[in-house]
Structures are given as C-alpha cells and as structure tokens.
Amino acid sequence: MSLLTIRNLSVTFATASGPFRAVDGVDMTIAPGEVVGIVGESGSGKSVAMLGLMGLLPDSATVTADVISFEGRDMLKMSNRERRKIIGKDIAMIFQEPIASLNPCFTAGYQIGEALKTHLGLDKKAARRRTIELLSQVGIPEPERRMTAYPHQLSGGMSQRVMIAMAIACEPKLLIADEPTTALDVTIQAQILDLLLDLQRERGMAMILITHDMGVIAETAERVVVQYAGQQVERQSVANLFETPRHPYTSALLAAMPERARGGRLPTIPGVVPGQGDRPTACLFNPRCPKADERCRTVVPPRQPAELGEALCHYPVGADPRPPEAIPPGFGPLSRQPLEGGARASTIAPEVPGDAR
Amino acid sequence: MTAIVTAKNLSQIYELKRGMFAKPLALKAVKETSFTVEQGETLAIVGESGCGKSTLARMLTMIEPPTEGELTIDGIRIAEASDSDLKRLRSIVQIVFQNPYGALNPRQKVGAILEEPLKINTSLSAAERRERAEKMLAEVGLRPEHYGRYPHMFSGGQRQRIAIARAIMLEPKILVLDEPVSALDVSIQAQILNLLAELQERLGLTYIFISHDLSVVRHVATRVMVMYLGRPVEIAPVEELYANPLHPYTRALLAATPAARPGRRGARQRLTGELPSPINPPTGCAFHPRCPYADERTKRERPELTQHGKTMVACFAVDEGRLPPPDAAVVETPEPRA
Ligand SMILES: Nc1ncnc2c1ncn2[C@@H]1O[C@H](COP(=O)(O)OP(=O)(O)OP(=O)(O)O)[C@@H](O)[C@H]1O
Ligand SMILES: Nc1ncnc2c1ncn2[C@@H]1O[C@H](COP(=O)(O)OP(=O)(O)O)[C@@H](O)[C@H]1O
Ligand code: SF4
Ligand SMILES: [Mg+2]
Ligand SMILES: [Mg+2]
C-alpha cells in the first residue's frame, strides 16, 4: 500500500491582481521508504504544493484536491484534530530557511523537547534525554551544550541539523525536505544529504526531497517529478530522466547545466518562467519551447504514458509524431540527442516573455 | 602573457570592537595572499562561505584598501598611485555583485543607472550618454524600451544583465564578478554565462570570477584559486585542477559537489566538521582539523604555496610525497557525448 497518495492537488492564491494558480493538478504516490525528488526552477510551486498538503498556507490560498490519503486514510475528510495528529508526527517537514523556521526566542533544545512532549507524551526528563540523543544523531558536537543555544548562535549548517533533529524527533514515516541544503556550502550539503539518506535507510522513512539542483536529485532520489509553472511536466525514474528526458523542458534544463556542456556556449532556454500576468495558453512551456507549434498554443497537452516519462506534452522528445520536416533540428526520432534537445545555441537571447520566438 | 593584476601578501584584518575596555578582536578575513591575473584570462576564486572571497574582491576593486600587502593593477602600484592614476584605475576595474536584487538602486530608472558612471567619470553630453546607454542595453541582450523602467520590473536574470551593463559602461579592462550567477536558476544562469563569455571575447576583458559552484567554475575559468580561511591553498590551470586536484581541501570540495549523474552517491570521501572561525583559526595548517592527512607537523607549521608541476599548492602531505593519487571516484571524467 502506498504511504501517501495525492491526486489533482491545486493551490490558488487570491491576490490584488486576481486569482493566481501556483500549483496546478499535482499528483504524487509515495511508498514507505521511498525517496522522490521534486525539481523545478524557483517559483514553480514546489514549496507551495507541499505547504498546501501540510495545511500550512495562509488564508489567501485555496487548496483543492481529489484525493489526499495517508496510509489509506482520507485526509480531506478528517477533522482538523485528526489531521494534526498525522502532521508533525507521521509527516514532518524541513523548511527552506532553517533560521527563519526556528523560533528565535527559544533554545534549540527547548523546541525539540516541546515536540517530543506534545506528540509522544514524553515527560521532561525523557524528553531531555531524547533531545540529546537526537542532536548527536544529526552530528551536532557537544549536544548538551548546544541544547541551550538560541537559533542565532548556530551556524547555517548547525541550524539545519537542529531542524532535522526536530523533524525526525517523532520518527515520521514521511519526511518532506524543502531545499534542505540550498543555503549551505557543498561540504556541509554533502553531510546533510548523507544524514538524511542514512535516516531514510535505517528507519525506512520515506522522503520527498525538493530542490532546484539537478545534481542533488541525481545523487539522492529514486524517482523524480519535474515541475514547471505549477504543473508536473515529467515523472520518471532518476536514471531514465537523466538518460532520456522526454519533456522538452527537462531536456533543456539538463542541457543548460554547465557540467553537461563541453566548452563553448551553453545551450539556453530563452525567456523566463511565466508569472501571474503572462500565463500562456494551452501548454505553459510553449513560449520557450523550440518544438512548439500552433497545436501547443491552442490545445492543452495530454499526459503521455509511463514509457514517455508521463510527459505533459504533445511532442515528447524522441517520440514526436510529426513528419520529420516539421520537427526542429535535434528533435526528430532519428536524431535523438536528448542532452542537447530542447535548447538552442543562443547568441544573447533577449529574455523577454513572448519574444522568445 | 602579462600580468594585469599582481597581488603580493595582501591581508585584510578587521577589528571587532568589544566595548570600551576590552581589546578589540582581530578578524583576519584575508591573509598574506599572493597571486597574479593574466591579461584576458578568467581567474576563478572558489571556497566556502566566509573564506574571504568577497573581501578579496573589495580590495581588488579598491573599495577597501588592504591592511597589508601590495596590489599592482595595470602596471600601477595602488599604494603609491596619484589621484589621476587612481581615477583611471577605478574605471579600469569594475565589479558585479552577487545579489541582482540589492545591487541596483530601486529609485533609479535603468537609463540613469547605466549613465551614472559616465556622468561621474566622463564629460559626455546628455545625448551622448543616452546613446551609449542604449547601445549597451542591446549589447547585454536587453531592449530599448527597458531604458525607462525601474529595476523592480525585471526578473533576476535581467537585473544581472543590467548590473553587467553598468559595470562595462566605462570600458573596463577587468571585471570582478562576485557570485554573478549564484542567485539564478539554471536556465537563466546559462544565459548570463554565455553573455559573459561573449563580452569577454568581444571586449578582451579579464575576469576574476568568484564562485562556490565548481561546475560553473570548470566551465568558465582559465585558472582556479582555491581559498580556505583567508588563504589560497591551491592555484592551478583549470584542467589540471579537475584532473589532478592536489590539496586535500580541493579534493573534498570536488567530492562534495553533486554530479548531475544518477547513481554516483556513496563512493566518496566526506569532509567532517565545519569551517573554523577566522577570529580564532587553527594553528599550523588551518585545514588540519578536517584533514585526513594531518599529522604532528601540520598542527605546528603552516605550509607555504609551492610549485608542483603546473600547480601551486600549500600542503605538507604533497611536499612530503605522502598524498595518495586522486581517488578515481573523486575526479570527474566527462562522459563522451553521443
Ligand atoms: N566589514 C567587515 N567587518 C568584520 N568582518 C568582516 C567584514 N567583512 C567580512 N568580514 C568577515 O571576513 C570573513 C570573510 O568574509 P567574505 O565576505 O570575504 O567571505 P566570502 O568568501 O565572500 O563568503 P560568501 O561565500 O559567504 O560570500 C568572514 O568571516 C566575514 O564574516
Ligand atoms: N502567500 C502567497 N501569496 C501569493 N502568491 C504566493 C504565495 N506564496 C507563494 N506564492 C507564489 O506561488 C508560486 C510558487 O511558489 P513556491 O512554491 O514558493 O515556488 P518554489 O517552486 O520556488 O518553491 C510563486 O509564483 C510564488 O510567488
Ligand atoms: S506541448 Fe508543445 S510547447 Fe509544450 S512542451 Fe510539448 S512541444 Fe513544447
Ligand atoms: Mg521553495
Ligand atoms: Mg561573498
């Protein structure tokens, strides 16, 4: 049985300039012990989708879904009290900004202790013992001393560890880690990722790892969801995603990475991610997509089958049904070059939405 | 090749005041750093947060004088330069900052932002300045109608283009780029890196490129200087650094950088511990508390940069020939392209 199932989750914000759909029809199935990655550029709705799931969005947000179930229990029909029992205990989250999400007025030890008392009903002494245990487990030297430190007295890496200690305090079955290492140096990032994967392996904890870093995804996740402008445009195993990306956006994103380039210019994606004011019609990627034609601008693209990466696209890379002469170079079935596909060698591309073509 | 920048024993020491009676603490942000930058090359400076990269950038751009050491730029020794020489040097060296949001004045229109350096440093007429600004917009991939807009109306990538445009208004020879793409998404990062490469070719610019991202550095750099706690620990040509990293810290940085290829996790050596405080740095080699090759000597003595092949490295283990060859798992060999 799956641990968490989400079907058609959407989030719309009421803003001064009208409604803004930040998350648009997101699905997710995660089995116990599995690691799923969500990648996407900033503003693609990764955080909002997960905050929506956790019920942590402000009142201006409207969250809708067909199904949200945890261990077979329908979370949509639950009372708030029942939901709170799951969230914070069985599902825990590590937030993007560690410093901002720790309460500055309380010591690290106190904040972890409170979670233990509330969710596990530990008494003060047991909570203290467990807190020290947790802090040393996440690699904090001298945990007794650090317990009494306030968040501002901790470095970025240390506060991130405290956040992790707090999140795993109640042995969650699912950990949602939102950019857990983005603010950290690479050597500390490597330590934190190792720590998270150890916990996942040792305890069979499932994990949703949100990041904009393709390298982090490659090293940690088993399955990947690529998000663009609030939509999941591709869903594949990590190996297949890097080998044969199917959505033109994924393919372009991979090609734009400097480590994949061999000297010279990097292939770029012209334009920028659409915002509230310039949301395109039909396929949201069409103004930036080199494969786009009239159909992409007028007909909402279908969800392709699993062997095509569940790509949300009329013309998935390597399986474009159009006659060869209608396909831009580098995309035809014969000239499959997934790494270069989707991106074009650019000169200095003006990055104005709508001017991409 | 000729050196356009020569730094000799540059130090920047900040005094941290601790109330009226306590002696101020000395924070050595950059210590006795020597290096050269060749005309037309890209010298990348890498290292963890707080290792002194931005401090070095501020010295190179004459925003802050070094507390010790000597800096020569374009043949002129800064400490002895006349006012007119300094004025010339200030337009020769320009800087682009990390944060495309904070670096531009929100109350100035793009046109005014671009024309400001001309207004201060040249006697061009208003019409001539405008012409130069409009030409520059095109040069960095912006559009003429952007001239009259405010910075908040632009995306992060566009703001970085504006910052680059401003930096090259005075036709500098040297650009110091302090994390110019760190705040940008991959697709926008690629646009800006291409722009920088094109400008460098067309204008013959010399770049000092500060970054903590080793995959970006590999793509842009000619030579790389790795810093740890205020000092360079390794300086090497880019191919050499990635093919044969010598300093254990360089190796650790490379090992920690995630490779954008699945299934590579696990095989690497990890660094433990965090960057120590520059107020109270470790004795001897500053890296010794985190170094797998540390011994008694490294705790007492500090290694100097010494030449080993094409590489300058400050490490006793290298000097003593007891450093193992770079681990195959650590060094990235590019996969052949289809
Ligand atoms: N004006 C200042 N007064 C006191 N200390 C300073 C000052 N500027 C920098 N420092 C300290 O000097 C050290 C080096 O700082 P610097 O900003 O050069 O680091 P960096 O390598 O650019 O880091 P990052 O990667 O985070 O940008 C740090 O410990 C920093 O706190
Ligand atoms: N409280 C809010 N009100 C209105 N819009 C919001 C709010 N929070 C987030 N957004 C918008 O929703 C979109 C997705 O944001 P987010 O999920 O944070 O992106 P990311 O993928 O970078 O995590 C962005 O355009 C963001 O500006
Ligand atoms: S539907 Fe068309 S525009 Fe959208 S990604 Fe596919 S090919 Fe490109
Ligand atoms: Mg986010
Ligand atoms: Mg800096």
Side-chain angles (χ1 to χ4, degrees):
Chain A
M1 188 182 58
S2 82
L3 188 64
L4 175 75
T5 308
I6 303 174
R7 289 277 161 268
N8 200 19
L9 173 75
S10 294
V11 179
T12 306
F13 288 104
T15 72
S17 42
F20 169 54
R21 177 159 284 212
V23 175
D24 191 357
V26 159
D27 302 329
M28 172 90 57
T29 307
I30 181 160
E34 200 183 13
V35 184
V36 176
I38 305 181
V39 269
E41 296 183 276
S42 92
S44 57
K46 308 179 297 290
S47 300
V48 169
M50 291 303 121
L51 292 170
L53 166 72
M54 302 281 284
L56 294 174
L57 286 171
D59 289 343
S60 62
T62 310
V63 182
T64 59
D66 296 346
V67 179
I68 300 182
S69 79
F70 187 76
E71 294 188 307
R73 286 174 290 162
D74 186 347
M75 287 178 65
L76 291 169
K77 295 219 183 75
M78 267 175 207
S79 68
N80 281 341
R81 230 180 99 233
E82 279 177 296
R83 194 175 312 125
R84 268 201 304 272
K85 267 196 219 149
I86 296 184
I87 287 167
K89 181 173 184 309
D90 289 336
I91 309 180
M93 186 157 173
I94 305 174
F95 298 93
Q96 195 160 351
E97 283 144 17
I99 312 269
S101 31
L102 288 170
N103 189 329
C105 308
F106 298 104
T107 64
Y110 178 84
Q111 298 188 48
I112 298 174
E114 280 307 286
L116 290 168
K117 283 187 230 163
T118 320
H119 287 291
L120 301 184
L122 297 188
D123 64 29
K124 205 171 157 199
K125 221 171 113 200
R128 187 188 143 82
R129 200 165 350 110
R130 181 88 182 105
T131 303
I132 294 174
E133 216 173 275
L134 282 162
L135 288 175
S136 67
Q137 207 168 16
V138 296
I140 293 186
E142 302 177 79
E144 287 91 347
R145 203 164 63 79
R146 299 295 162 113
M147 261 185 82
T148 57
Y150 286 89
H152 72 269
Q153 296 169 324
L154 300 168
S155 70
M158 285 295 164
S159 357
Q160 196 55 287
R161 277 175 233 241
V162 170
M163 280 293 300
I164 294 174
M166 201 143 78
I168 61 169
C170 305
E171 312 227 330
K173 295 173 179 155
L174 172 66
L175 179 67
I176 301 174
D178 188 359
E179 311 258 8
T181 56
T182 301
L184 306 175
D185 279 313
V186 285
T187 59
I188 311 298
Q189 162 168 297
Q191 292 172 10
I192 298 281
L193 291 176
D194 281 348
L195 170 66
L196 288 174
L197 290 176
D198 284 349
L199 289 167
Q200 177 254 338
R201 253 176 264 130
E202 283 160 20
R203 306 189 172 184
M205 175 181 80
M207 187 156 79
I208 298 177
L209 182 74
I210 303 176
T211 174
H212 65 270
D213 187 331
M214 281 285 190
V216 170
I217 283 290
E219 291 209 335
T220 50
E222 292 153 27
R223 285 192 295 125
V224 192
V225 172
V226 182
Q227 206 155 307
Y228 183 78
Q231 298 181 335
Q232 295 180 323
V233 297
E234 179 155 359
R235 305 190 287 240
Q236 287 227 63
S237 75
V238 71
N240 287 342
L241 187 97
F242 281 82
E243 188 74 14
T244 45
R246 294 302 188 170
H247 195 281
Y249 174 65
T250 315
S251 163
L253 208 54
L254 289 172
M257 296 176 57
E259 51 266 66
R260 291 216 158 200
R262 296 292 167 267
R265 298 291 186 270
L266 295 165
T268 62
I269 311 177
V272 290
V273 180
Q276 183 173 5
D278 53 8
R279 208 167 164 85
T281 54
C283 174
L284 296 183
F285 189 54
N286 86 65
R288 307 177 75 190
C289 181
K291 285 163 73 74
D293 65 8
E294 201 42 38
R295 190 179 168 79
C296 306
R297 290 185 276 275
T298 48
V299 183
V300 173
R303 176 73 65 194
Q304 297 288 341
E307 58 277 19
L308 293 178
E310 302 187 359
L312 198 62
C313 173
H314 290 294
Y315 311 122
V317 180
D320 194 331
R322 290 175 290 187
E325 61 278 11
I327 304 174
F331 284 99
L334 298 176
S335 59
R336 232 179 63 194
Q337 289 174 298
L339 291 191
E340 267 126 356
R344 27 181 140 162
S346 88
T347 52
I348 302 174
E351 51 153 273
V352 182
D355 284 336
R357 238 174 326 246
Chain B
M1 281 222 276
T2 45
I4 190 163
V5 177
T6 308
K8 263 199 207 132
N9 287 322
L10 284 192
S11 296
Q12 186 63 261
I13 299 165
Y14 296 109
E15 302 235 302
L16 303 179
K17 301 231 168 17
R18 293 190 302 166
M20 213 138 42
F21 303 106
K23 217 174 112 223
L25 284 176
L27 185 151
K28 296 177 184 157
V30 171
K31 283 174 282 190
E32 296 143 34
T33 292
S34 302
F35 61 94
T36 58
V37 189
E38 306 291 333
Q39 171 94 46
E41 78 165 341
T42 299
L43 174 74
I45 303 180
V46 302
E48 283 174 288
S49 181
C51 71
K53 307 182 295 292
S54 299
T55 304
L56 198 54
R58 287 194 299 275
M59 291 192 274
L60 290 170
T61 44
M62 292 158 280
I63 295 170
E64 253 172 28
T67 44
E68 278 160 35
E70 194 178 285
L71 188 60
T72 309
I73 298 177
D74 208 21
I76 299 171
R77 280 163 67 149
I78 308 290
E80 294 148 24
S82 65
D83 283 353
S84 69
D85 275 345
L86 273 180
K87 189 168 173 197
R88 194 178 75 81
L89 280 179
R90 289 218 156 87
S91 58
I92 283 179
V93 191
Q94 293 290 324
I95 185 163
V96 175
F97 292 103
Q98 176 161 2
N99 180 350
Y101 299 90
L104 303 171
N105 180 347
R107 281 181 291 277
Q108 263 186 329
K109 289 183 181 167
V110 169
I113 290 173
L114 296 187
E115 287 172 28
E116 190 164 78
L118 296 178
K119 225 166 156 176
I120 298 169
N121 291 286
T122 71
S123 49
L124 295 177
S125 71
E128 287 167 321
R129 290 199 301 261
R130 179 164 185 141
E131 196 193 314
R132 291 270 285 274
E134 285 177 342
K135 213 171 126 241
M136 188 57 72
L137 283 175
E139 187 116 44
V140 298
L142 293 168
R143 303 163 59 83
E145 64 264 29
H146 291 153
Y147 181 88
R149 296 196 188 155
Y150 289 96
H152 75 261
M153 301 168 157
F154 292 91
S155 68
Q158 285 175 318
R159 273 181 256 207
Q160 204 55 297
R161 284 174 200 262
I162 298 168
I164 292 168
R166 179 180 58 183
I168 58 178
M169 280 308 281
L170 292 171
E171 301 174 358
K173 293 185 179 174
I174 302 167
L175 270 195
V176 177
L177 301 147
D178 190 355
E179 307 260 12
V181 295
S182 302
L184 305 175
D185 274 315
V186 186
S187 72
I188 310 301
Q189 167 179 295
Q191 295 173 1
I192 298 295
L193 291 177
N194 285 353
L195 169 65
L196 288 172
E198 249 152 74
L199 292 172
Q200 183 168 41
E201 270 166 32
R202 209 161 51 223
L203 309 175
L205 294 168
T206 302
Y207 287 163
I208 295 164
F209 191 103
I210 296 174
S211 177
H212 64 268
D213 185 335
L214 283 168
S215 21
V216 169
V217 164
R218 182 181 202 163
H219 183 73
V220 302
T222 322
R223 283 189 309 133
V224 185
M225 173 160 108
V226 182
M227 289 184 68
Y228 191 78
L229 221 61
R231 290 180 200 271
V233 295
E234 181 160 359
I235 304 178
V238 68
E239 320 78 49
E240 194 63 22
L241 189 97
Y242 287 80
N244 187 23
L246 289 182
H247 200 282
Y249 178 63
T250 311
R251 291 182 178 189
L253 277 183
L254 285 169
T257 302
R261 235 176 310 145
R264 294 187 26 90
R265 193 164 190 82
R268 305 150 181 225
Q269 191 180 353
R270 298 280 183 215
L271 205 57
T272 53
E274 299 193 39
L275 199 67
S277 154
I279 297 176
N280 195 4
T283 56
C285 170
F287 187 59
H288 88 255
R290 301 172 82 186
C291 183
Y293 310 105
D295 64 6
E296 277 311 309
R297 185 178 178 204
T298 56
K299 286 178 199 161
R300 281 179 283 109
E301 278 176 66
R302 186 166 48 73
E304 297 286 342
L305 276 178
T306 18
Q307 194 82 38
H308 286 267
K310 294 181 192 155
T311 300
M312 300 264 283
V313 60
C315 171
F316 288 135
V318 179
D319 293 346
E320 294 160 8
R322 59 184 178 87
L323 192 83
D327 177 348
V330 169
V331 183
E332 290 287 307
T333 33
E335 52 193 315
R337 279 213 147 174

